[in-house]
Amino acid sequence: MKAKKLVGIVGMCMAGLMALSACQKADATNTPSETKTFKIGINQLAEHPALDAVRTGFEDELKKLGVDAQIEYKNAQGDVTNSTTISQKFASDGEDLIFAIATISAQSAQQATDSIPVLFSAVTDPVGAELVESWEHPGKNVSGTSDASPVEKQIALFKQIKPEIKRVGILFNTSEPNSAAQIEQATQAAEKIGIEIVTVGVNSINDLPQAIDVLTAKVEGIYTITDNMVASSINLVAETATKKGLITIGAEEAHVAGGMLMTDGLSYEALGRQTAQMAKRILVDKEDISAMSVETLQNTNKIVNTNTMNALQLKQDNTAFAGAEFVE
């Protein structure tokens, strides 16, 4: 009897082990063996330091976050038709997400799809550009990060550096929706401190050299907004203005790297990283993009170009430069 009971117990144990093994095999079959690779199409309007920094920050942060992404990067070379074609291809290819860098790229992506999530960056006024219903509640398949600059803080730098300054010039692309909003903000900020804003608009990059000469002859300072066409020729703007002894303030740090005197502005690389964090929430965490608020960077960096500072015969102990990072 004891032998029979022992055989029975052993048989029950063996059956239990077999059942457990079968469950484990079933679980292994139902569990993905590898992480999903997401397809991301990047539509960048043009090639210049600020937009390049956004893309670099975005890609680097995705890797840091462990998001496995197959990225297809396309540059529209500043052409609206190219941007539209790129977005349409991404939509037809069924990308998991489209990352649009600059307003025109974002608008083309929005028009190309109403189902694929579209994240934008380097867009100053997403509501005015009709990309979202509101900053807090985008409402559809589009959201992202804004590069809205602290315009009032930046305009104030002119008076801090040169208290007697009266006229400041702004170059802008007449086809860039962001530019109109920034000019309005700059004009309002300037009026409060006794500065007149003088503007010159262009509709082609070929018109910029003449426009720069015309504007620099009328003013004592130049303020470069986050206008993509102007940013692509920032070296020419800075060089011409500095030769004429003008105070130059840029809306962001890439302008200073291009020769403008200083900025108290945002980092476009950080903006790209912040957008990548939103991408992870959409792709991996499965958040609904229509409920994701448009985000901005809270911190700004004060940066001074020492070569331009010396060319303008300014001193490093100028109160406007307090707390700044000095670069060449």
Side-chain angles (χ1 to χ4, degrees):
M1 285 293 292
K2 289 182 179 179
K4 287 183 179 180
K5 283 184 180 180
L6 182 60
V7 170
I9 291 170
V10 171
M12 290 173 66
C13 290
M14 291 296 292
L17 288 170
M18 290 174 67
L20 179 60
S21 177
C23 288
Q24 288 175 336
K25 287 180 179 179
D27 287 343
T29 302
N30 294 331
T31 302
S33 59
E34 53 187 46
T35 306
K36 175 180 171 61
T37 299
F38 297 101
K39 292 167 53 184
I40 299 177
I42 299 182
N43 183 351
Q44 182 173 318
L45 178 62
E47 187 174 22
H48 66 68
L51 302 189
D52 293 343
V54 170
R55 187 181 77 254
T56 299
F58 180 82
E59 294 179 357
D60 288 350
E61 187 68 12
L62 283 180
K63 292 176 183 177
K64 182 179 177 182
L65 294 170
V67 178
D68 188 0
Q70 177 184 326
I71 292 176
E72 184 174 3
Y73 164 63
K74 297 291 184 182
N75 192 305
Q77 302 300 325
D79 187 274
V80 177
T81 302
N82 288 346
S83 183
T84 300
T85 302
I86 292 167
S87 290
Q88 289 173 343
K89 183 180 185 302
F90 286 160
S92 65
D93 288 348
E95 302 286 346
D96 293 306
L97 182 140
I98 297 174
F99 180 37
I101 306 177
T103 302
I104 291 172
S105 296
Q107 290 172 327
S108 70
Q110 178 193 46
Q111 292 163 7
T113 178
D114 59 5
S115 56
I116 297 173
V118 174
L119 278 177
F120 59 74
S121 192
V123 173
T124 303
D125 184 7
V127 176
E130 299 182 350
L131 292 169
V132 296
E133 294 176 5
S134 72
W135 288 68
E136 296 78 14
H137 304 288
K140 297 180 182 177
N141 64 313
V142 182
S143 187
T145 58
S146 169
D147 62 350
S149 301
V151 175
E152 191 163 338
K153 181 189 292 187
Q154 291 170 349
I155 291 294
L157 291 172
F158 285 101
K159 282 287 188 181
Q160 293 172 29
I161 297 168
K162 186 178 179 180
E164 66 273 21
I165 196 167
K166 296 294 184 183
R167 292 161 65 86
V168 169
I170 297 178
L171 285 163
F172 70 100
N173 177 4
T174 55
S175 301
E176 174 61 67
N178 283 334
S179 297
Q182 292 178 83
I183 289 171
E184 182 178 355
Q185 290 178 316
T187 301
Q188 292 174 355
E191 285 177 352
K192 294 178 182 177
I193 57 175
I195 291 177
E196 177 189 354
I197 295 294
V198 180
T199 62
V200 172
V202 295
N203 53 29
S204 167
I205 197 166
N206 297 324
D207 299 332
L208 272 172
Q210 182 179 357
I212 294 168
D213 286 337
V214 169
L215 185 60
T216 53
K218 298 179 178 180
V219 297
E220 303 155 84
I222 295 289
Y223 177 51
T224 48
I225 57 178
T226 55
D227 181 299
N228 293 308
M229 184 183 293
V230 175
S232 65
S233 298
I234 197 68
N235 300 82
L236 178 61
V237 176
E239 182 181 357
T240 304
T242 302
K243 283 181 178 178
K244 296 188 177 183
L246 306 184
I247 304 299
T248 53
I249 304 296
E252 50 96 3
E253 60 186 39
H255 294 187
V256 178
M260 301 293 283
L261 172 63
M262 74 173 299
T263 189
D264 191 348
L266 54 83
S267 163
Y268 274 79
E269 182 182 355
L271 200 66
R273 289 184 178 277
Q274 189 164 326
T275 318
Q277 292 164 14
M278 296 179 73
K280 189 258 183 184
R281 287 162 54 195
I282 294 165
L283 296 171
V284 179
D285 304 333
K286 306 303 180 185
E287 285 193 34
D288 181 2
I289 190 172
S290 68
M292 293 174 66
S293 300
V294 176
E295 299 183 4
T296 58
L297 284 179
Q298 299 302 312
N299 298 323
T300 58
N301 303 316
K302 188 181 284 189
I303 302 174
V304 176
N305 186 308
T306 54
N307 293 329
T308 305
M309 179 187 72
N310 292 333
L312 294 173
Q313 299 182 344
L314 296 169
K315 301 298 183 183
Q316 191 164 323
D317 61 359
N318 189 298
T319 56
F321 303 155
E325 174 189 355
F326 292 86
V327 300
E328 294 183 354

